[in-house]
Amino acid sequence: MTSVLLPLCERNPEPMALFSVSQTAFLLAFLSLRTYQSEGLSEPLPWAPESLKVSVNTTCQCLHLQWTVHNLAHHQEFRMVFQIEISRIKTSNVIWVENYTTTVKWNQVLHWSWESKLPLECAKHFIRMRSAVDAAKTPGPRVWSSWSSWEEADVQNSLGQDPLFIFPKDKLVEEGSNVTICYVSKSHQNNISCYLEGVRMQGEQLDPNVSVFNLNHVAFIRETGTNIYCKPGQGDGIKGTVLFVSKVLQEPKDFSCETQDFMTLNCTWDPGSDTGLLKQLSQSYTLFESFSGKKTLCKPKSWCLWQVAPESQDMYNFTLTAENYLRKRSVHLLFNLTHRVHPMAPFNILFKNVSATSATMTWKVHSIGKYYTLLCQVELYGEGKVTQHNVSVKVDGAHLFSGLEPDTEYLAQVRCANGDYFWKWSEWTHQNFTTAEAAPSEAPDVWRNVKTVQGRCVVTLFWKPLSKPQAHGKILFYNIVIEYLDRTSVSEVLSIPAPASGTELPLNQCSSQIRITASNSVGTSPASVLVVSREPGNEEVEEERVKGTEDGFPLSWNPQPRHVTGYLVEWCEQPRDPPCDLQWKNLGPNVTSTVVSSDAFRPGVRYNFRIYGISTERVPYLLARKTGYSQELAPSDNPQVVMTNLTSHSFTLSWKNYSTESQTSFIQGYHVYLKSKAGRCHSGSEKAVLSDDVVCCKYKIDNPEQKTFVVENLQPESFYEFLVTPYTSVGEGPHDAFAKVTTPDEYSPTLIRILLPTVFCILLIMITCYLKSQWMKEKCYPDIPDPYKSSVLSLIKSKENPHLTIMNIKDCVPDSIEVLNKQEGTRKSLTETESTKPTYLYLLPTEKRYSSPGPCICFENFTYNQAASDSASCGHVPVPPKAPPSQLGLLTSPENLLKALEKNYMNSLGEIPAGETSLNYVSQLASPMSGDMSNLPTNPPEPALCSEYKMQMAIPLGLASPPSSGSSSLSSITLLDEGEHYH
Amino acid sequence: MLPAAGEPAAGDSWGLLACLCTVLWHLPAVPALNRTGDPGPGPSIQKTYDLTRYLEHQLRSLAGTYLNYLGPPFNEPDFNPPRLGAETLPRATVNLDVWRSLNDKLRLTQNYEAYSHLLCYLRGLNRQAATAELRRSLAHFCTSLQGLLGSIAGVMAALGYPLPQPLPGTEPTWAPGPAHSDFLQKMDDFWLLKELQTWLWRSAKDFNRLKKKMQPPAAAVTLPLEAHGF
């Protein structure tokens, strides 16, 4: 491919001078010219340019010259040089000199054009020329004719009457060009400002009315062009022009043609940037084929269809031409049609004879002619693999896929190209198909768990679903055949529908062989055999610890001396959950180590592994037990500690419920921290600083199963804090929640041992005393009888002589004693009281004796003054000096006294309160023999007692001189003393 | 007006029935209740007024886009060139006294004629627009303006005024002469949009005045004579 750049001037070449040159005529002319030069050099050249006319084309800013050469002979032709001078503004300012060489013949009008950079309206131009015969082939200086007169080209005169003009008008240039702008002012204003897109331009003054602005490397701004405008200082006039800057037309890239059907050629290319403007349409594209000479205008910008000629044309030579107003660019392409065949995509893909492992694919292709062979590429995607095959196709394609996996979906796709001359592949056409099912190829991977329920073996079977390459179809059910080894029971057959992954089977006998197969719609898999034995195997295998890594748990075991068919590792993925999620891994007989890895393994979870050897009889027996953590984590909890046996010097800690098995790491022991104010640590402990800078004593227990600890050597009455935390290889439990304890006093137990019985005894005594209070009272402090409570008062009332109620002792001469005895606290019925009353009366002195002033039967006992006043039962109460006024007021008046006495008497007739009777009727001299009043009539006082009473009264008589109150008091004391003496 | 019903005599049921019949008989004649009659030009004037306001808003956005497309100085806010090459455009500015003295028919006719011309010019603008988005906006606006023209025609028909007939040979065309420079063409585009804006303002005043006139009492309307810049 080649490209040709055709500038605009070449695209529209102006026919300046076009002559046919005759060698003979040229020689003749040359000879005659030489002759003329030799004859007279001073003469002007006879073939000087004449009739020079200058015209102006403002659209292209061109000066167009035309002239003739006279004196040429008929049929004469000369090769001549015309020297053209162009001046601007004035003739002396020559801006352009050019030698134009051409062949001149008789009577010919010559033309020449010149494009001005400066718009021609901006300045006057002057043109003149001279000529010479082109004597390049001959030596010597060139002989010029004389100059023609200056021709003036002035457009300014025809501009019009506007005060301001801007040139050029609406010019179209390519991006990167240099453009000269000028304005012509006719109003002689000097303060005209010009702007390019709003930015003021600085120009140069060409003459007083004309300024010029040079724009270098103008850039494309918008389709509507770049606005340039000028406005005078005064007035609102504005003049402007639009400079249309076009993007540079680019050569079409990636020009290519191809056919799909030998009917049409599809040519495509990359057009590049659009050069369209408001003033210029976008570039157009033309396709020209040189062999056929046909040409077509392509309306789309990036592709074109070319009808292939019906006659056989193999070779094509295309020229793609892009063209706009300013530029034209072309690219070429020469090719053989048969080498540019891009077939259409195959169609109608079908699959025949699809079996479990093979299938035949057929497809059709669009014909590209009977002489051509297509090369088709077949690809098969399935099971993550890709296979590729090439097939030669004339009309219809077919390919057999073999070695396929059963029950697998495959994607087959096919594409074709010209097999003779490869150009391009067609598009892919693809189709899916699925192979048929086949019987499962592998036995299911089965494991069991045997337990005994009520003396009966129950086996739980687990199996892993067959992988897709093993299942060869959808597994419908699992068959289980149980054969009892002792042949006593009939074999059992079970069918478990998929997708079950296990089942629980109660066995009639433990010793049995279980065969498990998986079935799909086509067939049954090989059997997986398990033997269940009654012997539990080597269950007492010691558990070993294993350290997990990032890759899993590395497990190893000793090779077995007896022959084994393989090993099996069993573990629970969810050991903390009841379902356990039993997992297993089958290993070959020569393997003695493996790494168990699982995404389900979590840090801080203890996993237990059991390694079984499978004997040749398919009986598994336990080889080893391993336990470990994928990653040990520091304990998150501390044991729940119970404190017992607290004494003043020790206490015992116990955490029996703490399970070492279910922790987040292997428990190596315990640390017991003890905080005390003393801060001293005894032997067996060491000082430890906790994270919060607290110093405490640390006791270490190395045995994880020792779950009690006695803290000793404590101080009595001291405050302690303690914490028990497990320690592991990755750290201790949290140091929080210290428990608090205060040791008791050293002596308090002894004191308690003494005090408690004492208090108990006292209490017992008190209760006894309370219960036996009456008895105690009678024994310890019997009641003193109150004379005012005697029956005498009733007699006083009957006599209606209140003045005789009380008699001073000094006035009395005791002559008789009446002793009344009444058992306190006993309540007598009215009838009983009445029955005793005559007894009192009979015992009283006679009326005569009573009325006489001399003898007195009434006596005072001041021991009961207070009690008598409180109960208001005694009619005659001697007023003590310190008695309250209220009592004085109440009892000093004779009426009150009488009333009190009446009341007392009436009480004595009715129901008598125990307190009152005890005060009123229990005499100080009551005989100990007469404890009950009921005994009074039957046990009258003895005369001896009377004599003693007299003796008692003898002392107040001896002290008759003191006042009544004082003597009474003294006498009462004396009486009391006597009473005590009596007892 | 409601016909006055006679006072019915007490107990005279025949008189009451006759009164009711009389009322029902005259009911269709009550203007306020006569919903099947011609509502008059009021609603269509209101709609036309609303449409001018909507177009005014729409033009503000369109003019901004189009003047940016033309480039500076046409998109500069204070650009106010002399109205040189836009003589054919209908001029919206008018002397206040003249505007006041316009009768309804003349007022509506001027509006109709102006938008007929402006619509024609606007379609020419649309044809030469380079970008597809701008062409879409202009076409949308032309459709709206066509609607305004139809609305004005509806008002005129409601008021019984005939539509102005375009004189043969005076139809506006969008064919700038060869001497018409591209810069002047851009100036014409600028003035077209400016006059369109001014016409929409004037029409809003016109229809507001007309609306108030149809709804007594009429309110005074003032029209600013100065055309505002964009």
Side-chain angles (χ1 to χ4, degrees):
Chain A
M1 273 191 290
T2 56
S3 63
V4 175
L5 179 65
L6 295 174
L8 180 64
C9 54
E10 289 184 25
R11 189 178 65 86
N12 293 318
E14 197 170 336
M16 298 278 182
L18 191 63
F19 302 103
S20 63
V21 179
S22 164
Q23 185 68 28
T24 311
F26 178 77
L27 288 172
L28 285 173
F30 182 74
L31 289 172
S32 60
L33 182 65
R34 277 290 168 195
T35 309
Y36 179 79
Q37 285 177 343
S38 62
E39 284 175 353
L41 288 172
S42 59
E43 292 295 319
L45 192 70
W47 302 308
E50 290 181 353
S51 307
L52 176 63
K53 290 182 181 174
V54 178
S55 59
V56 177
N57 183 350
T58 54
T59 306
C60 69
Q61 295 179 9
C62 293
L63 284 175
H64 186 73
L65 277 64
Q66 67 174 37
W67 68 96
T68 57
V69 178
H70 282 262
N71 300 326
L72 271 178
H74 197 63
H75 303 301
Q76 269 190 332
E77 285 186 358
F78 290 108
R79 183 80 178 164
M80 294 188 73
V81 179
F82 298 95
Q83 190 172 54
I84 303 165
E85 270 189 0
I86 300 175
S87 300
R88 182 170 286 165
I89 303 172
K90 55 187 179 183
T91 55
S92 59
N93 180 27
V94 175
I95 59 164
W96 192 266
V97 177
E98 183 178 329
N99 288 339
Y100 169 57
T101 304
T102 186
T103 304
V104 185
K105 61 184 179 183
W106 175 77
N107 207 16
Q108 184 191 0
V109 178
L110 297 165
H111 298 271
W112 182 80
S113 286
W114 174 74
E115 185 181 352
S116 172
K117 294 288 180 190
L118 181 75
L120 294 174
E121 296 90 342
C122 301
K124 287 181 183 176
H125 286 79
F126 301 94
I127 305 103
R128 67 174 183 176
M129 65 165 58
R130 60 181 180 176
S131 63
V133 174
D134 186 10
K137 294 179 180 177
T138 56
R142 183 175 283 166
V143 180
W144 289 104
S145 70
S146 58
W147 286 103
S148 67
S149 60
W150 287 102
E151 291 293 327
E152 185 180 305
D154 186 7
V155 200
Q156 288 186 349
N157 291 331
S158 59
L159 287 181
Q161 298 303 315
D162 284 352
L164 186 63
F165 297 93
I166 295 183
F167 299 104
K169 275 188 176 178
D170 308 334
K171 190 176 176 65
L172 174 64
V173 295
E174 265 190 346
E175 202 172 22
S177 307
N178 297 332
V179 181
T180 305
I181 309 285
C182 79
Y183 73 79
V184 179
S185 169
K186 290 195 170 180
S187 59
H188 303 288
Q189 288 186 350
N190 292 325
N191 54 351
I192 293 172
S193 47
C194 293
Y195 300 87
L196 170 71
E197 287 288 311
V199 179
R200 185 163 181 177
M201 297 186 292
Q202 295 298 328
E204 62 178 284
Q205 194 94 18
L206 202 59
D207 73 13
N209 295 331
V210 179
S211 282
V212 174
F213 306 92
N214 292 309
L215 309 178
N216 297 324
H217 305 292
V218 290
F220 169 82
I221 295 177
R222 66 179 78 80
E223 289 89 350
T224 55
T226 306
N227 300 322
I228 300 160
Y229 59 98
C230 298
K231 53 186 179 185
Q234 290 90 29
D236 55 354
I238 180 171
K239 281 296 171 93
T241 184
V242 179
L243 181 67
F244 290 96
V245 181
S246 161
K247 289 178 182 170
V248 178
L249 179 65
Q250 294 172 326
E251 179 183 289
K253 298 188 186 76
D254 305 329
F255 178 43
S256 169
C257 294
E258 62 188 22
T259 183
Q260 287 191 316
D261 51 4
F262 288 95
M263 302 285 286
T264 54
L265 266 169
N266 184 21
C267 297
T268 57
W269 61 90
D270 175 11
S273 55
D274 189 3
T275 63
L277 293 172
L278 191 63
K279 200 175 181 66
Q280 170 186 267
L281 294 172
S282 298
Q283 68 269 28
S284 62
Y285 291 89
T286 312
L287 199 58
F288 173 71
E289 203 283 308
S290 62
F291 294 119
S292 63
K294 290 181 181 173
K295 190 176 184 179
T296 183
L297 181 66
C298 304
K299 287 187 177 174
K301 292 284 184 289
S302 61
W303 58 273
C304 205
L305 288 179
W306 182 272
Q307 294 297 322
V308 173
E311 63 271 17
S312 177
Q313 180 188 352
D314 289 339
M315 294 302 296
Y316 288 82
N317 185 12
F318 280 109
T319 301
L320 176 68
T321 304
E323 184 178 9
N324 66 6
Y325 190 77
L326 298 168
R327 195 180 283 269
K328 183 191 276 188
R329 282 176 181 265
S330 297
V331 288
H332 301 279
L333 183 64
L334 174 67
F335 61 89
N336 188 329
L337 184 64
T338 57
H339 298 178
R340 299 295 175 109
V341 179
H342 183 191
M344 282 190 272
F347 63 101
N348 202 17
I349 291 183
L350 294 173
F351 294 96
K352 297 172 183 172
N353 305 327
V354 179
S355 70
T357 56
S358 66
T360 303
M361 181 176 84
T362 63
W363 66 94
K364 293 180 183 300
V365 292
H366 297 274
S367 174
I368 57 169
K370 57 184 177 182
Y371 303 112
Y372 300 101
T373 304
L374 284 174
L375 173 70
C376 291
Q377 197 173 54
V378 179
E379 281 187 353
L380 183 71
Y381 291 82
E383 299 291 306
K385 293 181 288 185
V386 186
T387 55
Q388 200 176 67
H389 307 276
N390 289 334
V391 183
S392 287
V393 174
K394 275 285 185 185
V395 182
D396 293 338
H399 181 72
L400 172 67
F401 295 115
S402 58
L404 305 179
E405 291 291 329
D407 188 42
T408 304
E409 186 176 23
Y410 287 92
L411 168 76
Q413 60 180 11
V414 60
R415 62 180 180 179
C416 300
N418 186 1
D420 302 322
Y421 303 97
F422 181 83
W423 167 242
K424 276 182 185 175
W425 287 111
S426 69
E427 296 296 314
W428 286 105
T429 302
H430 49 81
Q431 187 81 31
N432 288 344
F433 72 100
T434 304
T435 50
E437 290 189 359
S441 61
E442 297 285 334
D445 188 359
V446 185
W447 185 233
R448 91 289 177 272
N449 184 23
V450 184
K451 58 187 176 185
T452 305
V453 178
Q454 296 173 350
R456 197 176 173 193
C457 275
V458 176
V459 63
T460 308
L461 294 176
F462 303 95
W463 57 82
K464 294 176 184 172
L466 289 174
S467 64
K468 193 169 169 51
Q470 296 170 339
H472 290 178
K474 186 182 179 186
I475 299 298
L476 300 176
F477 49 88
Y478 294 90
N479 303 308
I480 300 170
V481 180
I482 306 168
E483 296 171 357
Y484 295 102
L485 296 179
D486 55 4
R487 309 281 178 189
T488 55
S489 300
V490 183
S491 298
E492 296 176 30
V493 179
L494 293 168
S495 184
I496 310 291
S501 61
T503 186
E504 191 172 86
L505 301 172
L507 300 178
N508 295 334
Q509 295 169 5
C510 266
S511 297
S512 56
Q513 176 178 282
I514 303 171
R515 303 166 63 84
I516 302 103
T517 56
S519 297
N520 61 12
S521 63
V522 176
T524 303
S525 72
S528 188
V529 181
L530 280 177
V531 174
V532 179
S533 166
R534 180 174 291 281
E535 296 171 1
N538 195 7
E539 290 291 345
E540 57 276 3
V541 171
E542 190 175 347
E543 188 176 70
E544 296 174 20
R545 287 186 179 177
V546 62
K547 188 172 175 59
T549 64
E550 288 183 356
D551 300 327
F553 288 92
L555 304 176
S556 61
W557 54 93
N558 295 324
Q560 293 303 295
R562 56 177 169 172
H563 191 63
V564 293
T565 58
Y567 296 96
L568 187 141
V569 181
E570 168 197 284
W571 71 95
C572 288
E573 283 207 336
Q574 307 289 336
R576 286 177 179 174
D577 294 334
C580 175
D581 191 10
L582 187 70
Q583 302 290 316
W584 68 94
K585 185 177 180 182
N586 275 307
L587 299 160
N590 300 322
V591 180
T592 56
S593 66
T594 185
V595 176
V596 176
S597 60
S598 169
D599 293 336
F601 288 152
R602 297 281 174 265
V605 178
R606 190 161 175 170
Y607 296 97
N608 298 310
F609 300 92
R610 296 157 74 89
I611 301 160
Y612 294 88
I614 311 294
S615 70
T616 50
E617 295 83 21
R618 307 295 302 168
V619 179
Y621 58 95
L622 186 64
L623 286 181
R625 292 198 297 148
K626 311 267 183 180
T627 184
Y629 296 86
S630 63
Q631 184 190 345
E632 288 191 80
L633 299 179
S636 58
D637 298 315
N638 289 328
Q640 298 281 335
V641 179
V642 177
M643 187 191 69
T644 54
N645 302 337
L646 174 65
T647 67
S648 55
H649 292 286
S650 69
F651 56 84
T652 303
L653 301 175
S654 170
W655 55 96
K656 300 281 187 190
N657 293 331
Y658 188 69
S659 168
T660 55
E661 301 292 323
S662 57
Q663 302 305 318
T664 56
S665 54
F666 290 119
I667 305 296
Q668 295 179 341
Y670 304 94
H671 286 153
V672 180
Y673 290 96
L674 187 70
K675 278 199 259 183
S676 66
K677 287 183 179 174
R680 284 185 293 111
C681 294
H682 294 280
S683 63
S685 66
E686 59 184 23
K687 279 198 173 183
V689 180
L690 300 181
S691 58
D692 49 356
D693 293 335
V694 176
V695 179
C696 58
C697 299
K698 182 169 83 172
Y699 299 88
K700 190 173 182 182
I701 303 169
D702 292 330
N703 181 9
E705 297 306 321
Q706 179 189 333
K707 296 176 183 176
T708 57
F709 184 74
V710 180
V711 184
E712 294 174 314
N713 301 321
L714 304 179
Q715 295 295 321
E717 289 186 280
S718 298
F719 178 73
Y720 290 96
E721 288 181 88
F722 63 87
L723 173 75
V724 177
T725 182
Y727 72 88
T728 66
S729 62
V730 289
E732 294 182 338
H735 287 169
D736 54 356
F738 272 72
K740 298 174 176 58
V741 64
T742 304
T743 51
D745 185 8
E746 193 173 5
Y747 302 105
S748 57
T750 314
L751 279 175
I752 286 171
R753 277 197 293 271
I754 296 169
L755 275 177
L756 273 176
T758 310
V759 169
F760 179 75
C761 290
I762 291 170
L763 271 174
L764 197 65
I765 291 166
M766 286 176 71
I767 290 166
T768 309
C769 290
Y770 178 73
L771 292 174
K772 297 289 182 183
S773 59
Q774 190 61 41
W775 180 80
M776 289 289 291
K777 186 177 178 183
E778 288 175 0
K779 288 293 180 191
C780 300
Y781 49 97
D783 282 344
I784 299 168
D786 188 353
Y788 290 95
K789 300 294 189 289
S790 67
S791 305
V792 180
L793 290 175
S794 60
L795 187 64
I796 293 167
K797 189 183 176 186
S798 64
K799 294 293 180 180
E800 292 181 353
N801 188 5
H803 303 287
L804 296 177
T805 53
I806 298 172
M807 180 180 284
N808 286 329
I809 296 174
K810 62 183 180 182
D811 298 332
C812 296
V813 178
D815 56 355
S816 65
I817 293 172
E818 183 183 354
V819 177
L820 292 178
N821 195 1
K822 178 179 179 286
Q823 188 170 359
E824 194 175 352
T826 56
R827 185 170 292 179
K828 299 299 179 185
S829 65
L830 188 58
T831 51
E832 283 177 335
T833 310
E834 285 171 349
S835 64
T836 57
K837 197 173 176 182
T839 311
Y840 288 107
L841 290 174
Y842 294 134
L843 289 174
L844 287 172
T846 60
E847 192 175 340
K848 174 193 170 187
R849 201 181 282 175
Y850 187 70
S851 59
S852 67
C856 180
I857 60 164
C858 189
F859 50 85
E860 294 174 294
N861 186 346
F862 291 104
T863 309
Y864 295 98
N865 272 352
Q866 187 62 42
S869 65
D870 286 344
S871 64
S873 59
C874 185
H876 183 198
V877 180
V879 179
K882 292 178 182 176
S886 60
Q887 289 180 347
L888 289 171
L890 179 65
L891 297 175
T892 44
S893 68
E895 292 80 8
N896 288 345
L897 189 60
L898 180 61
K899 284 176 184 173
L901 289 172
E902 285 175 351
K903 183 184 175 193
N904 194 26
Y905 177 69
M906 292 306 290
N907 282 342
S908 68
L909 292 176
E911 204 169 58
I912 301 160
E916 289 181 10
T917 53
S918 67
L919 286 173
N920 291 338
Y921 295 98
V922 178
S923 170
Q924 197 176 13
L925 298 175
S927 169
M929 302 301 290
S930 57
D932 196 335
M933 203 171 77
S934 60
N935 295 329
L936 284 176
T938 55
N939 298 305
E942 296 295 326
L945 292 172
C946 273
S947 66
E948 280 194 17
Y949 182 71
K950 284 176 183 173
M951 203 173 82
Q952 189 179 22
M953 295 301 291
I955 297 167
L957 287 173
L959 297 169
S961 58
S964 62
S965 60
S967 63
S968 300
S969 174
L970 185 61
S971 65
S972 67
I973 292 169
T974 308
L975 283 169
L976 187 61
D977 289 340
E978 287 299 319
E980 285 177 350
H981 175 70
Y982 176 78
H983 285 290
Chain B
M1 291 299 241
L2 265 170
E7 189 71 28
D12 189 357
S13 60
W14 285 109
L16 192 64
L17 186 63
C19 175
L20 196 61
C21 288
T22 311
V23 169
L24 288 172
W25 180 257
H26 286 90
L27 208 55
V30 179
L33 298 174
N34 190 3
R35 294 182 182 277
T36 56
D38 186 7
S44 58
I45 291 171
Q46 178 64 45
K47 281 180 188 170
T48 313
Y49 170 78
D50 293 342
L51 193 54
T52 56
R53 301 307 302 267
Y54 166 69
L55 279 172
E56 193 185 318
H57 168 77
Q58 200 180 341
L59 181 64
R60 207 170 298 141
S61 158
L62 174 68
T65 310
Y66 194 84
L67 295 179
N68 279 333
Y69 165 74
L70 294 181
F74 303 102
N75 59 354
E76 290 169 358
D78 54 349
F79 183 62
N80 191 20
R83 197 175 187 274
L84 291 175
E87 289 84 2
T88 54
L89 285 174
R91 193 181 283 270
T93 48
V94 66
N95 185 280
L96 184 59
D97 295 329
V98 174
W99 181 77
R100 279 181 180 151
S101 65
L102 290 174
N103 58 28
D104 293 344
K105 181 183 176 186
L106 201 55
R107 195 182 298 279
L108 288 166
T109 304
Q110 283 186 359
N111 269 279
Y112 187 86
E113 285 177 342
Y115 287 118
S116 301
H117 284 70
L118 290 168
L119 180 61
C120 189
Y121 289 130
L122 210 57
R123 283 177 175 153
L125 207 66
N126 190 13
R127 277 194 288 275
Q128 65 167 5
T131 66
E133 187 188 349
L134 198 58
R135 276 200 297 274
R136 223 173 7 251
S137 301
L138 279 164
H140 178 62
F141 188 80
C142 283
T143 310
S144 303
L145 201 61
Q146 181 75 53
L148 177 65
L149 209 54
S151 192
I152 295 171
V155 173
M156 291 177 76
L159 294 173
Y161 305 140
L163 284 181
Q165 296 298 320
L167 293 173
T170 59
E171 288 195 11
T173 54
W174 190 261
H180 211 64
S181 76
D182 288 302
F183 193 82
L184 284 177
Q185 183 61 54
K186 285 187 176 184
M187 203 89 96
D188 288 352
D189 294 350
F190 174 86
W191 270 107
L192 170 62
L193 295 171
K194 187 163 182 170
E195 282 296 349
L196 196 53
Q197 184 92 72
T198 317
W199 265 110
L200 286 169
W201 287 336
R202 174 175 165 176
S203 296
K205 296 283 182 192
D206 280 336
F207 289 108
N208 199 33
R209 186 186 177 92
L210 210 57
K211 186 173 68 178
K212 288 179 178 172
K213 199 173 175 183
M214 294 296 158
Q215 297 171 347
V221 178
T222 56
L223 177 70
L225 283 177
E226 288 296 321
H228 300 282
F230 284 100

